[in-house]
């Protein structure tokens, strides 16, 4: 199942789109993927036990067990909303630490090792202490004060692209908003925002070469270190000034933690919002009735934003490690087992969502897990919601958008998004 999902998310073809939709609807029970060391030729092999009746009747992929091979570890996959103790009981049964072998499906790969110092890879009490340092900047009250600035940025972006009649939506619109806001928060000069964009592209595209990913890490860290040093000499009211000068237990934060903090903000503050904007627009284009409904009833936009987050689910998975024996939906989890949480599947759980495969901008309730849950609930959730709401409020005041070419998906098993989406502004009807 793991190999199917990863392959489906990476492929680029009409057939792959169908496979991708099936892969997002993972099994009706918690899955078990048993991984063992195998010859290289066998590592991509996957065996499925399909419930063919369910597949034919319900039109979704169902499996009780799937087997895939990797090098060394056992992974148990949680695909259903009801199986989320890894988030709800974090710190009691589950740990997140990179030191315990990682937070992604493939463990301590290069990317995971590089984030050993950031909050994604921390457990309490260390995680709580560092989160408290920066959380005031992302609180609901702090984000509310940012709305005029965000709206000004969005207006400027759209006023630049609309007169041309068409644009590359990902690069010129969806990526621009979070990049500009991120630079403001971190204290990065706006003229350098495309450097951040380039580094995140190289780091998150899993089709990129390992050597170039390592080089991108080095370049990003070097930039962050230079910025931190500048903020020690000339502190300002930005997040890098805070992190570069704050003291924990009488000492400044070490360089590894600063590197991890900078990496986390650059990727989490950029990629996830960008991908939801792109995926949200595509959902509207593919569901013109919903597009028209929002034009007629703009008060539904906040509700639509939540549905876009559920529909897109920009982060595909995270992993936890069991610290004691437990059970999820009848599946035994042993101490030391790695448990992978598939967020897109949970957000399409038919036990939690009525008609989960329908994009409905009026959906209520909508208790999706796009931002995670528990102690690792997304720090920037309020900011992401603001950026999404303002972007679609302003987009819906402009001419209707339609595709001008085939969108190209990001090659990643970790993030769900697009690298390209050519669009045009449809002529206004007389």
């Amino acid at each position: 199942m793991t190999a199917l999902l990863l392959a489906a998310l990476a492929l680029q073809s009409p057939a792959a789109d169908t496979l991708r939709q099936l892969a997002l609807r993972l099994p009706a029970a918690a899955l078990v993927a048993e991984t063992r060391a195998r010859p290289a030729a066998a590592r991509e092999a996957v065996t499925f036990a399909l419930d063919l009746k369910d597949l034919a009747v319900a039109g979704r992929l169902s499996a009780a067990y799937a087997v895939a091979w990797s090098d060394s570890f056992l992974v148990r996959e949680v695909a259903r909303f009801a199986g989320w103790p890894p988030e709800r009981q974090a710190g009691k049964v589950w740990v997140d630490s990179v030191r315990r072998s990682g937070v992604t499906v493939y463990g301590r790969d290069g990317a995971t090792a590089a984030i050993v110092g950031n909050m994604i890879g921390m457990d309490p009490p260390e995680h709580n202490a560092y989160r408290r340092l920066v959380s005031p900047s992302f609180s609901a009250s702090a984000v509310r004060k940012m709305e005029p600035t965000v709206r000004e940025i969005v207006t400027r972006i759209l006023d630049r692209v609309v007169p041309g009649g068409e644009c590359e939506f990902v690069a010129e619109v969806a990526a621009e908003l979070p990049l500009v806001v991120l630079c403001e928060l971190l204290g990065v000069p706006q003229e350098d925002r495309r450097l951040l964009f380039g580094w995140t592209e190289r780091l998150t595209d899993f089709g990129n070469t390992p050597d170039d990913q390592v080089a991108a890490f080095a370049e990003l860290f070097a930039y962050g270190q230079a910025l931190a040093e500048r903020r020690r000499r000339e502190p300002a009211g930005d997040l890098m000034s805070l992190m570069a000068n704050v003291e924990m237990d009488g000492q400044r934060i070490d360089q590894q933690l600063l590197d991890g903090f900078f990496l986390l903000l650059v990727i989490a503050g950029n990629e996830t919002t960008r991908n939801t904007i792109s995926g949200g627009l595509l959902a509207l284009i593919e569901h013109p009735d919903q597009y028209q409904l929002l034009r007629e009833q703009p008060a539904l936009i906040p509700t639509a934003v939540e549905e876009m987050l559920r529909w897109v689910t920009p982060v595909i998975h995270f992993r936890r490690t069991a610290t004691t024996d437990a059970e999820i939906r009848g599946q035994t989890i042993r101490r030391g087992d790695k448990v992978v949480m598939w967020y897109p599947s949970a957000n399409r759980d038919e036990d939690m969502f009525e008609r989960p495969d329908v994009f409905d901008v009026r959906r209520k309730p909508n208790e999706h897990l796009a931002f995670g849950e528990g102690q690792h609930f997304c720090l920037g959730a309020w900011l992401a919601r603001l950026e999404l709401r303002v972007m679609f409020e302003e987009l819906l005041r402009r001419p209707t958008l339609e595709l001008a070419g085939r969108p190209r998906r990001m090659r990643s098993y970790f993030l769900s998004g697009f690298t390209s989406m050519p669009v045009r502004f449809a002529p206004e009807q007389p």
Side-chain angles (χ1 to χ4, degrees):
M1 181 60 62
T2 303
L4 169 71
L5 182 64
L6 305 193
L9 290 169
L11 292 174
Q12 307 286 338
S13 72
D17 286 344
T18 301
L19 179 60
R20 186 177 297 111
Q21 289 304 312
L22 289 174
L24 289 174
R25 307 180 196 109
L26 286 173
L31 298 176
V32 176
E34 185 177 345
T35 64
R36 301 183 182 130
R38 298 292 187 195
R43 287 179 187 163
E44 298 305 317
V46 179
T47 302
F48 301 105
L50 296 179
D51 182 338
L52 296 179
K53 179 180 178 181
D54 184 65
L55 180 63
V57 173
R60 68 176 173 84
L61 184 62
S62 177
Y65 296 93
V67 180
W69 290 285
S70 184
D71 285 334
S72 60
F73 57 82
L74 176 69
V75 174
R76 298 184 186 274
E77 301 175 293
V78 180
R80 299 276 285 191
F81 199 102
W84 289 94
E87 294 286 36
R88 291 179 178 160
Q89 298 178 16
K92 299 177 182 177
V93 179
W94 317 97
V95 294
D96 317 290
S97 175
V98 172
R99 298 174 183 86
R100 302 227 187 176
S101 81
V103 294
T104 62
V105 68
Y106 286 131
R108 281 186 68 107
D109 52 21
T112 305
I115 64 169
V116 67
N118 78 41
M119 289 183 288
I120 289 177
M122 290 181 181
D123 300 314
E126 185 182 33
H127 170 267
N128 300 343
Y130 284 99
R131 187 178 176 105
R132 279 195 297 269
L133 287 177
V134 295
S135 58
S137 298
F138 297 97
S139 67
S141 59
V143 168
R144 274 195 297 270
K145 296 174 184 176
M146 296 174 64
E147 180 164 347
T149 299
V150 170
R151 195 170 299 278
E152 179 184 345
I153 294 168
V154 171
T155 300
R156 188 166 64 243
I157 291 169
L158 296 180
D159 285 350
R160 184 169 61 242
V161 299
V162 172
E166 59 182 61
C167 69
E168 172 44 70
F169 188 79
V170 174
E172 296 183 63
V173 179
E176 270 291 280
L177 172 60
L179 277 172
V180 173
V181 173
L182 178 66
C183 288
E184 292 285 339
L185 287 170
L186 280 172
V188 172
Q190 287 295 334
E191 58 268 25
D192 288 349
R193 68 184 184 278
R194 283 288 148 180
L195 290 175
L196 303 188
F197 180 77
W199 288 322
T200 58
E201 287 281 277
R202 291 160 63 193
L203 291 172
T204 57
D205 185 346
F206 286 25
N208 200 4
T209 66
D211 287 347
D212 192 51
Q213 286 188 324
V214 170
F217 275 121
E219 292 165 21
L220 184 144
F221 289 153
Y223 184 95
Q225 290 162 14
L227 179 62
E229 185 57 36
R230 190 158 64 248
R231 286 295 177 259
R232 289 190 183 107
R233 296 192 307 268
E234 303 170 2
D238 53 61
L239 285 173
M240 186 55 85
S241 293
L242 170 66
M243 294 299 289
N245 292 288
V246 73
E247 293 188 354
M248 303 281 288
D249 299 324
Q251 295 187 355
R252 282 182 173 172
I253 296 173
D254 66 36
Q255 192 57 60
Q256 185 183 50
L257 288 170
L258 266 180
D259 288 345
F261 167 79
F262 189 62
L263 174 68
L264 174 62
L265 277 235
V266 167
I267 293 182
N270 170 17
E271 288 288 334
T272 52
T273 303
R274 154 193 155 178
N275 292 334
T276 306
I277 291 172
S278 300
L281 175 66
L282 183 62
L284 292 179
I285 292 173
E286 292 178 337
H287 300 84
D289 59 323
Q290 301 296 291
Y291 205 151
Q292 184 59 32
L293 180 60
L294 289 184
R295 282 190 169 281
E296 295 170 354
Q297 301 182 44
L300 287 174
I301 291 175
T303 307
V305 164
E306 299 304 316
E307 180 68 344
M308 291 171 188
L309 286 161
R310 183 192 75 88
W311 190 255
V312 175
T313 313
V315 176
I316 297 170
H317 83 278
F318 269 114
R319 202 183 82 195
R320 303 290 182 255
T321 303
T323 59
T324 187
D325 292 352
E327 184 176 296
I328 299 178
R329 297 182 69 89
Q331 295 288 343
T332 299
I333 307 296
R334 300 296 184 191
R335 178 180 178 181
D337 280 358
K338 283 72 175 174
V339 180
V340 176
M341 303 171 295
W342 294 112
Y343 294 96
S345 181
N347 282 343
R348 284 165 173 77
D349 187 346
E350 64 272 19
D351 289 344
M352 289 298 300
F353 302 98
E354 184 179 351
R355 302 183 304 154
D357 296 320
V358 173
F359 179 71
D360 182 2
V361 298
R362 292 171 294 192
R363 184 181 297 277
K364 282 189 178 182
N366 193 347
E367 297 181 16
H368 61 78
L369 291 172
F371 290 126
E373 190 171 328
Q375 66 184 18
H376 282 281
F377 183 81
C378 177
L379 186 66
W382 287 110
L383 179 57
R385 284 182 166 118
L386 171 67
E387 291 179 0
L388 288 163
R389 174 175 61 79
V390 172
M391 173 59 77
F392 283 97
E393 284 174 351
E394 295 301 326
L395 271 175
L396 287 159
R397 295 189 178 111
R398 270 72 174 181
T400 301
L401 281 162
E402 57 188 31
L403 291 178
R406 183 174 179 78
R408 181 170 181 80
R409 282 194 170 268
M410 176 184 296
R411 295 168 295 182
S412 174
Y413 63 78
F414 183 59
L415 297 174
S416 175
F418 296 88
T419 58
S420 174
M421 188 182 296
V423 297
R424 68 172 64 93
F425 291 91
E428 293 290 348
Q429 298 298 320

